[in-house]
Amino acid sequence: MGKILVIGSLNVDMVMNVDHMPAEGETILCDKMTFVPGGKGANQACAVGRLGSDVTMFGCIGDDEYGELQIESLTHAGVNVSGIICKPTEHTGMAFITVNSKGNNSIVVVPGANATFSPEDIDAHRELIETCEIVILQLEIPLQTVCYAAKLAKSLEKTVILDPAPVPSTFPEELYQYIDIIKPNETEMARLTGEGCELESIRKAVGQLENKGVQNILVTLGEQGAYLKEKDKSVVLIPSRKVKAVDTTAAGDAFTAALAVMLLEKKSLTEAAEFASLVSSIVVTRHGAQSSIPTIQEIKTLEDTK
Ligand code: RIB
C-alpha cells in the first residue's frame, strides 16, 4: 500500500465556545479557553493516521510547548512526524477560534513557523515527495511553497489534492495546472471564481475551474452534501448525513483526508467522496479539531450499531 504526504500548517487552536459571535464593536465573555492541536495540514495528517493509512506530516513548528503538543498528538494518531521541521526562532502557529452555539466557527490564524516553510525546505526533504503516492496541500503556508511543492509532486507523477483553504486574496493561477483534485467548500469556491453559492452558480464555477485545467472538482456544501465533477463524467451529488452539529472545526480537513485514504485504496472518486462525507458528519458532532476526528475502528462500530 502507498503513502500519503500532507504538506501544510500546524497550529495550536485556542478555542472559545460562545453563545454568539461578537459583532463589530461588541465585547462578550467566555467561561474558558481550551488549547488543542489543530492547523489544516496537521488535522488532515491526523485524520489520515486515524483512518489507518501510512502518512507523513511535512511542515514547520516553533521550539515551544505547542509544537510538542502537535508532535504528541500526531504520533499518537499514527502519523510519521519525521517531516516536521523545528524553526527555533519562530513560535508554533496559533489559531484563535470562536465557536458559536450552532457549531459554526470563525478563525484568526497567526502563522508563526508556518510562514517560514520555504521551497528550500521542500528541496531539503524532497525524498518525502518522491516516496509517497498522494500529496495533500492546503493554503496556510506560503503560496510560493505550495506551488513549488505541487509542481514537483506533479513532475514526479504523484496525485495532488488541493484543499484551497484559506482562499488568498490573489490565488496563484499557476497552481491549477498541478492539481489533480481540488476540494473547496461552497464559500471557497465562490471566492475562487467570483460566482455565488447556489447550485447553479456552483455549476458555472466548476466550468471555470475546468477551463483552467483542473480535471476533478469536489465542492462540499455543508448540510447539502457535496457536488462532484469528475473528468469525463456527469455531475454526482453526494448526500450528507443529517446530524446535530456542535462544532464544524476540522470537518473539511477530515473530508479531504478521508478522500485521500479511499483513493489510496483504489476506490472511485464517488466512493471516496461518500466515505469522506460520512467521516466529516461524525467530526461535526464532536468538539475541537484533532480531538473530533474518529478512528477507522470507531467508524466501523458506529456504522455497525446503526
Ligand atoms: O480547519 C480548521 C483549522 O483551521 C483549525 O484547526 C485551525 O488551526 C485553522 O488552521
Side-chain angles (χ1 to χ4, degrees):
M1 184 66 78
K3 294 182 193 177
I4 294 173
L5 178 67
V6 180
I7 305 179
S9 60
L10 305 99
N11 296 328
V12 59
D13 288 355
M14 303 180 178
V15 186
M16 291 156 280
N17 287 92
V18 295
D19 174 62
H20 65 278
M21 301 296 181
E24 206 173 300
E26 183 186 12
T27 302
I28 59 172
L29 297 180
C30 168
D31 293 344
K32 64 173 184 339
M33 188 191 254
T34 48
F35 295 70
V36 289
K40 295 185 194 304
N43 296 344
Q44 292 174 359
C46 175
V48 173
R50 293 217 179 122
L51 295 173
S53 291
D54 191 339
V55 56
T56 300
M57 178 70 210
F58 191 6
C60 300
I61 54 171
D63 185 10
D64 51 33
E65 61 184 304
Y66 299 136
E68 284 166 22
L69 184 72
Q70 269 299 344
I71 302 266
E72 203 181 297
S73 173
L74 293 182
T75 305
H76 193 250
V79 178
N80 180 338
V81 294
S82 62
I84 299 180
I85 306 165
C86 182
K87 303 271 177 132
T89 57
E90 305 293 331
H91 66 79
T92 296
M94 296 178 189
F96 297 86
I97 305 186
T98 312
V99 181
N100 70 12
S101 57
K102 292 184 192 143
N104 294 323
N105 63 36
S106 67
I107 305 180
V108 177
V109 174
V110 185
N114 296 306
T116 69
F117 194 0
S118 65
E120 290 72 31
D121 291 325
I122 299 287
D123 279 339
H125 298 270
R126 185 188 157 99
E127 77 288 352
L128 294 176
I129 299 182
E130 285 168 345
T131 55
C132 76
E133 193 171 314
I134 298 178
V135 173
I136 309 179
L137 292 149
Q138 335 72 39
L139 303 177
E140 257 181 2
I141 58 171
L143 297 176
Q144 191 200 4
T145 306
V146 173
C147 289
Y148 190 82
K151 185 177 183 183
L152 175 60
K154 193 72 191 152
S155 73
L156 294 169
E157 297 181 346
K158 310 300 174 186
T159 299
V160 180
I161 302 177
L162 178 71
D163 191 335
V167 177
S169 48
T170 310
F171 187 87
E173 296 278 318
E174 168 205 355
L175 187 52
Y176 287 122
Q177 63 189 301
Y178 310 131
I179 301 168
D180 294 293
I181 303 166
I182 192 166
K183 194 242 74 182
N185 64 26
E186 73 268 55
T187 317
E188 289 153 0
M189 190 62 165
R191 288 204 61 197
L192 283 171
T193 61
E195 294 288 347
C197 291
E198 324 73 49
L199 225 48
E200 182 50 24
S201 305
I202 287 175
R203 195 185 57 73
K204 286 192 202 147
V206 163
Q208 267 197 46
L209 294 197
E210 284 180 313
N211 289 338
K212 292 182 181 194
V214 188
Q215 300 190 324
N216 301 293
I217 301 155
L218 178 52
V219 187
T220 54
L221 307 170
E223 289 172 5
Q224 290 182 71
Y227 183 108
L228 170 63
K229 177 67 186 74
E230 189 174 355
K231 185 186 177 202
D232 299 331
K233 293 195 177 167
S234 313
V235 169
V236 177
L237 292 174
I238 314 282
S240 73
R241 302 213 172 194
K242 301 288 164 252
V243 292
K244 176 154 177 28
V246 298
D247 183 351
T248 55
T249 309
D253 303 331
F255 188 105
T256 304
L259 187 81
V261 166
M262 286 294 113
L263 295 177
L264 196 67
E265 292 181 13
K266 307 299 174 210
K267 297 283 196 278
S268 71
L269 204 42
T270 303
E271 288 170 310
E274 283 166 352
F275 179 69
S277 174
L278 165 66
V279 174
S280 60
S281 75
I282 297 171
V283 170
V284 301
T285 63
R286 302 169 173 194
H287 288 280
Q290 291 172 29
S291 50
S292 68
I293 298 168
T295 62
I296 191 69
Q297 291 78 12
E298 276 180 276
I299 295 171
K300 283 183 182 149
T301 310
L302 284 170
E303 286 301 280
D304 286 350
T305 52
K306 277 222 159 117

PDB file of all heavy atoms in Angstrom, residues 16-24 26-28 97-107 248:
ATOM      1  N   MET A  16     -12.619  29.160  21.949  1.00  0.00           N
ATOM      2  CA  MET A  16     -13.584  29.786  22.857  1.00  0.00           C
ATOM      3  C   MET A  16     -14.991  29.428  22.394  1.00  0.00           C
ATOM      4  O   MET A  16     -15.340  29.703  21.242  1.00  0.00           O
ATOM      5  CB  MET A  16     -13.416  31.309  22.819  1.00  0.00           C
ATOM      6  CG  MET A  16     -12.118  31.782  23.432  1.00  0.00           C
ATOM      7  SD  MET A  16     -11.604  33.381  22.792  1.00  0.00           S
ATOM      8  CE  MET A  16     -10.859  32.961  21.236  1.00  0.00           C
ATOM      9  N   ASN A  17     -15.736  28.752  23.254  1.00  0.00           N
ATOM     10  CA  ASN A  17     -17.131  28.427  22.928  1.00  0.00           C
ATOM     11  C   ASN A  17     -18.024  29.526  23.469  1.00  0.00           C
ATOM     12  O   ASN A  17     -17.990  29.832  24.664  1.00  0.00           O
ATOM     13  CB  ASN A  17     -17.514  27.074  23.543  1.00  0.00           C
ATOM     14  CG  ASN A  17     -16.857  25.940  22.791  1.00  0.00           C
ATOM     15  OD1 ASN A  17     -15.762  25.495  23.155  1.00  0.00           O
ATOM     16  ND2 ASN A  17     -17.471  25.497  21.724  1.00  0.00           N
ATOM     17  N   VAL A  18     -18.801  30.131  22.578  1.00  0.00           N
ATOM     18  CA  VAL A  18     -19.644  31.260  22.974  1.00  0.00           C
ATOM     19  C   VAL A  18     -21.063  31.051  22.457  1.00  0.00           C
ATOM     20  O   VAL A  18     -21.292  30.209  21.591  1.00  0.00           O
ATOM     21  CB  VAL A  18     -19.089  32.595  22.398  1.00  0.00           C
ATOM     22  CG1 VAL A  18     -17.744  32.932  22.995  1.00  0.00           C
ATOM     23  CG2 VAL A  18     -18.992  32.522  20.876  1.00  0.00           C
ATOM     24  N   ASP A  19     -21.974  31.835  22.986  1.00  0.00           N
ATOM     25  CA  ASP A  19     -23.357  31.725  22.526  1.00  0.00           C
ATOM     26  C   ASP A  19     -23.477  32.253  21.098  1.00  0.00           C
ATOM     27  O   ASP A  19     -24.042  31.619  20.214  1.00  0.00           O
ATOM     28  CB  ASP A  19     -24.251  32.528  23.485  1.00  0.00           C
ATOM     29  CG  ASP A  19     -25.657  32.563  22.977  1.00  0.00           C
ATOM     30  OD1 ASP A  19     -26.241  31.477  22.876  1.00  0.00           O
ATOM     31  OD2 ASP A  19     -26.144  33.668  22.640  1.00  0.00           O
ATOM     32  N   HIS A  20     -22.918  33.443  20.864  1.00  0.00           N
ATOM     33  CA  HIS A  20     -22.951  34.025  19.525  1.00  0.00           C
ATOM     34  C   HIS A  20     -21.611  34.692  19.242  1.00  0.00           C
ATOM     35  O   HIS A  20     -20.866  35.013  20.166  1.00  0.00           O
ATOM     36  CB  HIS A  20     -24.091  35.051  19.407  1.00  0.00           C
ATOM     37  CG  HIS A  20     -23.893  36.248  20.307  1.00  0.00           C
ATOM     38  ND1 HIS A  20     -24.217  36.239  21.642  1.00  0.00           N
ATOM     39  CD2 HIS A  20     -23.369  37.470  20.056  1.00  0.00           C
ATOM     40  CE1 HIS A  20     -23.920  37.417  22.174  1.00  0.00           C
ATOM     41  NE2 HIS A  20     -23.396  38.174  21.233  1.00  0.00           N
ATOM     42  N   MET A  21     -21.314  34.874  17.962  1.00  0.00           N
ATOM     43  CA  MET A  21     -20.065  35.557  17.580  1.00  0.00           C
ATOM     44  C   MET A  21     -20.165  37.028  17.985  1.00  0.00           C
ATOM     45  O   MET A  21     -21.224  37.634  17.779  1.00  0.00           O
ATOM     46  CB  MET A  21     -19.866  35.524  16.056  1.00  0.00           C
ATOM     47  CG  MET A  21     -19.807  34.156  15.456  1.00  0.00           C
ATOM     48  SD  MET A  21     -18.374  33.275  16.063  1.00  0.00           S
ATOM     49  CE  MET A  21     -18.555  31.749  15.172  1.00  0.00           C
ATOM     50  N   PRO A  22     -19.091  37.605  18.523  1.00  0.00           N
ATOM     51  CA  PRO A  22     -19.172  39.033  18.848  1.00  0.00           C
ATOM     52  C   PRO A  22     -19.362  39.867  17.577  1.00  0.00           C
ATOM     53  O   PRO A  22     -18.718  39.605  16.567  1.00  0.00           O
ATOM     54  CB  PRO A  22     -17.818  39.339  19.507  1.00  0.00           C
ATOM     55  CG  PRO A  22     -16.928  38.200  19.150  1.00  0.00           C
ATOM     56  CD  PRO A  22     -17.791  37.022  18.826  1.00  0.00           C
ATOM     57  N   ALA A  23     -20.296  40.805  17.651  1.00  0.00           N
ATOM     58  CA  ALA A  23     -20.498  41.700  16.497  1.00  0.00           C
ATOM     59  C   ALA A  23     -19.384  42.742  16.519  1.00  0.00           C
ATOM     60  O   ALA A  23     -18.678  42.886  17.531  1.00  0.00           O
ATOM     61  CB  ALA A  23     -21.861  42.370  16.607  1.00  0.00           C
ATOM     62  N   GLU A  24     -19.238  43.480  15.433  1.00  0.00           N
ATOM     63  CA  GLU A  24     -18.209  44.515  15.386  1.00  0.00           C
ATOM     64  C   GLU A  24     -18.417  45.480  16.545  1.00  0.00           C
ATOM     65  O   GLU A  24     -19.548  45.951  16.756  1.00  0.00           O
ATOM     66  CB  GLU A  24     -18.327  45.244  14.038  1.00  0.00           C
ATOM     67  CG  GLU A  24     -17.037  45.860  13.596  1.00  0.00           C
ATOM     68  CD  GLU A  24     -17.163  46.412  12.181  1.00  0.00           C
ATOM     69  OE1 GLU A  24     -17.450  45.632  11.254  1.00  0.00           O
ATOM     70  OE2 GLU A  24     -16.988  47.623  12.040  1.00  0.00           O
ATOM     71  N   GLU A  26     -18.504  44.788  19.675  1.00  0.00           N
ATOM     72  CA  GLU A  26     -19.125  44.163  20.846  1.00  0.00           C
ATOM     73  C   GLU A  26     -18.086  43.394  21.667  1.00  0.00           C
ATOM     74  O   GLU A  26     -17.164  42.787  21.121  1.00  0.00           O
ATOM     75  CB  GLU A  26     -20.214  43.165  20.380  1.00  0.00           C
ATOM     76  CG  GLU A  26     -20.957  42.524  21.535  1.00  0.00           C
ATOM     77  CD  GLU A  26     -21.933  41.424  21.080  1.00  0.00           C
ATOM     78  OE1 GLU A  26     -21.884  41.004  19.905  1.00  0.00           O
ATOM     79  OE2 GLU A  26     -22.725  40.983  21.932  1.00  0.00           O
ATOM     80  N   THR A  27     -18.241  43.400  22.993  1.00  0.00           N
ATOM     81  CA  THR A  27     -17.398  42.583  23.872  1.00  0.00           C
ATOM     82  C   THR A  27     -18.278  41.510  24.483  1.00  0.00           C
ATOM     83  O   THR A  27     -19.388  41.803  24.949  1.00  0.00           O
ATOM     84  CB  THR A  27     -16.814  43.445  25.017  1.00  0.00           C
ATOM     85  OG1 THR A  27     -16.067  44.509  24.441  1.00  0.00           O
ATOM     86  CG2 THR A  27     -15.928  42.624  25.934  1.00  0.00           C
ATOM     87  N   ILE A  28     -17.822  40.272  24.468  1.00  0.00           N
ATOM     88  CA  ILE A  28     -18.593  39.201  25.119  1.00  0.00           C
ATOM     89  C   ILE A  28     -17.679  38.409  26.037  1.00  0.00           C
ATOM     90  O   ILE A  28     -16.451  38.446  25.888  1.00  0.00           O
ATOM     91  CB  ILE A  28     -19.280  38.249  24.094  1.00  0.00           C
ATOM     92  CG1 ILE A  28     -18.252  37.606  23.179  1.00  0.00           C
ATOM     93  CG2 ILE A  28     -20.335  38.973  23.297  1.00  0.00           C
ATOM     94  CD1 ILE A  28     -18.842  36.535  22.288  1.00  0.00           C
ATOM     95  N   ILE A  97      -9.960  30.554  17.784  1.00  0.00           N
ATOM     96  CA  ILE A  97     -11.207  30.040  17.205  1.00  0.00           C
ATOM     97  C   ILE A  97     -12.389  30.333  18.126  1.00  0.00           C
ATOM     98  O   ILE A  97     -12.360  29.997  19.313  1.00  0.00           O
ATOM     99  CB  ILE A  97     -11.112  28.513  16.987  1.00  0.00           C
ATOM    100  CG1 ILE A  97      -9.876  28.187  16.128  1.00  0.00           C
ATOM    101  CG2 ILE A  97     -12.386  27.968  16.361  1.00  0.00           C
ATOM    102  CD1 ILE A  97      -9.746  26.728  15.733  1.00  0.00           C
ATOM    103  N   THR A  98     -13.403  30.958  17.558  1.00  0.00           N
ATOM    104  CA  THR A  98     -14.639  31.182  18.302  1.00  0.00           C
ATOM    105  C   THR A  98     -15.701  30.257  17.705  1.00  0.00           C
ATOM    106  O   THR A  98     -15.898  30.250  16.486  1.00  0.00           O
ATOM    107  CB  THR A  98     -15.096  32.652  18.140  1.00  0.00           C
ATOM    108  OG1 THR A  98     -13.965  33.488  18.386  1.00  0.00           O
ATOM    109  CG2 THR A  98     -16.184  33.006  19.119  1.00  0.00           C
ATOM    110  N   VAL A  99     -16.328  29.450  18.565  1.00  0.00           N
ATOM    111  CA  VAL A  99     -17.380  28.530  18.092  1.00  0.00           C
ATOM    112  C   VAL A  99     -18.693  28.963  18.735  1.00  0.00           C
ATOM    113  O   VAL A  99     -18.775  29.106  19.964  1.00  0.00           O
ATOM    114  CB  VAL A  99     -17.067  27.068  18.503  1.00  0.00           C
ATOM    115  CG1 VAL A  99     -18.144  26.116  17.979  1.00  0.00           C
ATOM    116  CG2 VAL A  99     -15.689  26.643  18.000  1.00  0.00           C
ATOM    117  N   ASN A 100     -19.725  29.183  17.922  1.00  0.00           N
ATOM    118  CA  ASN A 100     -20.999  29.625  18.490  1.00  0.00           C
ATOM    119  C   ASN A 100     -21.923  28.440  18.812  1.00  0.00           C
ATOM    120  O   ASN A 100     -21.561  27.282  18.576  1.00  0.00           O
ATOM    121  CB  ASN A 100     -21.688  30.655  17.569  1.00  0.00           C
ATOM    122  CG  ASN A 100     -22.207  30.049  16.273  1.00  0.00           C
ATOM    123  OD1 ASN A 100     -22.268  28.834  16.116  1.00  0.00           O
ATOM    124  ND2 ASN A 100     -22.580  30.908  15.339  1.00  0.00           N
ATOM    125  N   SER A 101     -23.095  28.717  19.342  1.00  0.00           N
ATOM    126  CA  SER A 101     -23.985  27.647  19.811  1.00  0.00           C
ATOM    127  C   SER A 101     -24.534  26.788  18.666  1.00  0.00           C
ATOM    128  O   SER A 101     -25.049  25.707  18.895  1.00  0.00           O
ATOM    129  CB  SER A 101     -25.141  28.232  20.629  1.00  0.00           C
ATOM    130  OG  SER A 101     -25.820  29.159  19.821  1.00  0.00           O
ATOM    131  N   LYS A 102     -24.400  27.259  17.419  1.00  0.00           N
ATOM    132  CA  LYS A 102     -24.832  26.440  16.268  1.00  0.00           C
ATOM    133  C   LYS A 102     -23.698  25.551  15.781  1.00  0.00           C
ATOM    134  O   LYS A 102     -23.854  24.805  14.816  1.00  0.00           O
ATOM    135  CB  LYS A 102     -25.268  27.338  15.115  1.00  0.00           C
ATOM    136  CG  LYS A 102     -26.535  28.104  15.383  1.00  0.00           C
ATOM    137  CD  LYS A 102     -26.900  28.879  14.127  1.00  0.00           C
ATOM    138  CE  LYS A 102     -27.979  29.880  14.426  1.00  0.00           C
ATOM    139  NZ  LYS A 102     -27.822  31.116  13.691  1.00  0.00           N
ATOM    140  N   GLY A 103     -22.516  25.681  16.401  1.00  0.00           N
ATOM    141  CA  GLY A 103     -21.374  24.860  15.978  1.00  0.00           C
ATOM    142  C   GLY A 103     -20.548  25.507  14.884  1.00  0.00           C
ATOM    143  O   GLY A 103     -19.565  24.937  14.423  1.00  0.00           O
ATOM    144  N   ASN A 104     -20.941  26.715  14.457  1.00  0.00           N
ATOM    145  CA  ASN A 104     -20.155  27.391  13.413  1.00  0.00           C
ATOM    146  C   ASN A 104     -18.982  28.130  14.044  1.00  0.00           C
ATOM    147  O   ASN A 104     -19.057  28.553  15.202  1.00  0.00           O
ATOM    148  CB  ASN A 104     -21.033  28.369  12.638  1.00  0.00           C
ATOM    149  CG  ASN A 104     -22.100  27.635  11.858  1.00  0.00           C
ATOM    150  OD1 ASN A 104     -21.837  26.550  11.333  1.00  0.00           O
ATOM    151  ND2 ASN A 104     -23.302  28.182  11.810  1.00  0.00           N
ATOM    152  N   ASN A 105     -17.911  28.290  13.268  1.00  0.00           N
ATOM    153  CA  ASN A 105     -16.733  28.921  13.858  1.00  0.00           C
ATOM    154  C   ASN A 105     -16.273  30.133  13.056  1.00  0.00           C
ATOM    155  O   ASN A 105     -16.666  30.321  11.914  1.00  0.00           O
ATOM    156  CB  ASN A 105     -15.588  27.900  13.989  1.00  0.00           C
ATOM    157  CG  ASN A 105     -15.109  27.368  12.652  1.00  0.00           C
ATOM    158  OD1 ASN A 105     -15.073  28.093  11.671  1.00  0.00           O
ATOM    159  ND2 ASN A 105     -14.749  26.097  12.607  1.00  0.00           N
ATOM    160  N   SER A 106     -15.431  30.939  13.707  1.00  0.00           N
ATOM    161  CA  SER A 106     -14.663  31.940  12.966  1.00  0.00           C
ATOM    162  C   SER A 106     -13.242  31.835  13.503  1.00  0.00           C
ATOM    163  O   SER A 106     -13.040  31.585  14.699  1.00  0.00           O
ATOM    164  CB  SER A 106     -15.242  33.340  13.104  1.00  0.00           C
ATOM    165  OG  SER A 106     -15.107  33.769  14.408  1.00  0.00           O
ATOM    166  N   ILE A 107     -12.278  31.935  12.612  1.00  0.00           N
ATOM    167  CA  ILE A 107     -10.886  31.611  12.957  1.00  0.00           C
ATOM    168  C   ILE A 107      -9.945  32.724  12.516  1.00  0.00           C
ATOM    169  O   ILE A 107     -10.034  33.206  11.378  1.00  0.00           O
ATOM    170  CB  ILE A 107     -10.451  30.288  12.269  1.00  0.00           C
ATOM    171  CG1 ILE A 107     -11.415  29.143  12.603  1.00  0.00           C
ATOM    172  CG2 ILE A 107      -9.018  29.918  12.644  1.00  0.00           C
ATOM    173  CD1 ILE A 107     -11.069  27.796  11.971  1.00  0.00           C
ATOM    174  N   THR A 248     -18.059  22.639  13.851  1.00  0.00           N
ATOM    175  CA  THR A 248     -17.680  22.232  12.483  1.00  0.00           C
ATOM    176  C   THR A 248     -16.167  22.297  12.237  1.00  0.00           C
ATOM    177  O   THR A 248     -15.710  21.952  11.144  1.00  0.00           O
ATOM    178  CB  THR A 248     -18.390  23.124  11.438  1.00  0.00           C
ATOM    179  OG1 THR A 248     -18.073  24.487  11.742  1.00  0.00           O
ATOM    180  CG2 THR A 248     -19.884  22.925  11.449  1.00  0.00           C
TER     181      THR A 248
END
